[in-house]
Amino acid sequence: MDFNNNYQEIDLNYCRASSGKRFANYIIDLIVFYIILFGIYICVGILLPGVLDGINDLLDRLIAMVCYGFIMCLIEAVSHGKSIGKLITGTKAVNLDGSEIDFQKAFTRNMIRVIPFNAISALSNPCDPWHDRWSDTIVIDEKKQGLQSQRIDLFDSVKNQTL
């Protein structure tokens, strides 16, 4: 009996997280970021009074953008591709081959997020924003990935029984 060997690889396009989950990730992560940034500003205000007084709106926005990239990078690097939003929604950022992202990849994808209009690039269906495209990553739904793995195990067991 001739079996098609295509079933042995996980189809990451099938496992791709939905646009709704990606949007939920973004909102949750943005809330977490602003809580962290507020805490940082309070600490700076207490330890270095007067430093924040000289910051204008443009500089404040630039600092916030860079902080967003660094904070999200650290969170994703430490948690192997999961931000707080991804942890809650059951999604994960991985390389295009399905392997876990490393610190360099987390840094790249999160610094790309700082680029203006990156959020608009996520409006496509399926959701494929610049920070995924340019860093060769994809955000997957872990439940769908689990189903793909079960499918592979099932076909492997059937193949072994017929041989």
Side-chain angles (χ1 to χ4, degrees), residues 26-68:
Y26 175 71
I27 296 298
I28 294 166
D29 290 340
L30 198 59
I31 291 168
V32 168
F33 165 71
Y34 277 117
I35 291 169
I36 292 170
L37 189 64
F38 184 70
I40 291 171
Y41 275 23
I42 288 175
C43 291
V44 169
I46 291 171
L47 298 174
L48 304 167
V51 169
L52 298 176
D53 295 338
I55 297 177
N56 62 23
D57 286 342
L58 178 61
L59 185 58
D60 183 47
R61 289 180 192 264
L62 289 173
I63 290 170
M65 288 170 53
V66 171
C67 284
Y68 180 78

Side-chain angles (χ1 to χ4, degrees), residues 50-121:
V51 169
L52 298 176
D53 295 338
I55 297 177
N56 62 23
D57 286 342
L58 178 61
L59 185 58
D60 183 47
R61 289 180 192 264
L62 289 173
I63 290 170
M65 288 170 53
V66 171
C67 284
Y68 180 78
F70 278 116
I71 289 170
M72 295 308 297
C73 165
L74 291 174
I75 292 171
E76 280 193 353
V78 168
S79 60
H80 307 286
K82 288 187 170 198
S83 63
I84 304 299
K86 290 181 188 77
L87 183 66
I88 292 170
T89 62
T91 57
K92 180 179 185 176
V94 296
N95 291 309
L96 290 178
D97 64 359
S99 62
E100 287 188 356
I101 62 172
D102 57 8
F103 182 83
Q104 181 179 0
K105 190 68 74 148
F107 180 80
T108 302
R109 69 182 258 112
N110 286 292
M111 285 299 121
I112 294 170
R113 285 181 176 196
V114 175
I115 296 172
F117 306 111
N118 175 59
I120 293 172
S121 73

